[in-house]
Amino acid sequence: KYTKFSISYYWINSVGHRTSIYQRLENAVIPSGKENQTAVISYDHIITSLQNTSSTGTYYCDVKWDDIQITGKGVFVLARDTGYVETSYGWEVLITLTTLFAVLSITATALLLRKRK
């Protein structure tokens, strides 16, 4: 009775809209001598790439038999455009300091030349 079941993957977005991702039917083969025993079978599903930031939401897996449905706890996924980009101010600081020292050098030279006359 429980060897035939369906697995479905779906996600629910921030406004509660459910979107189906993938479904498949399974027919588990029970080895001889293992009847009427609990079996654990792992099934993985990889989400290749998120379309855009609207893919943010909680992703779930359902397993359904004829009279039973079990839903996983879900995994929350936050999709961002570029992710975290570490800001680097190296060139900006170098150019600013070089400009400042150049202005100070020119000013100091002008003052020294003016004082000399």
Side-chain angles (χ1 to χ4, degrees), residues 2 4 7 27 33 39 43-44 49 53-54 60-61 82 92 96 98 100-102 117:
Y2 297 109
K4 293 182 181 179
I7 301 172
N27 188 8
Y43 293 94
D44 294 328
S49 65
T53 56
S54 66
Y60 294 94
C61 173
T82 57
E92 290 87 352
T96 303
T98 303
L100 180 64
F101 288 140
K117 290 183 181 181

Side-chain angles (χ1 to χ4, degrees), residues 46-99:
I46 297 172
I47 300 171
T48 53
S49 65
L50 300 174
Q51 300 301 320
N52 52 39
T53 56
S54 66
S55 298
T56 293
T58 305
Y59 289 72
Y60 294 94
C61 173
D62 275 350
V63 179
K64 297 177 188 175
W65 291 269
D66 289 336
D67 56 348
I68 300 173
Q69 175 179 335
I70 297 176
T71 303
K73 295 178 182 179
V75 174
F76 179 76
V77 175
L78 174 62
R80 299 193 301 185
D81 283 337
T82 57
Y84 176 75
V85 178
E86 189 171 332
T87 306
S88 173
Y89 297 106
W91 283 107
E92 290 87 352
V93 171
L94 181 63
I95 291 170
T96 303
L97 287 176
T98 303
T99 304

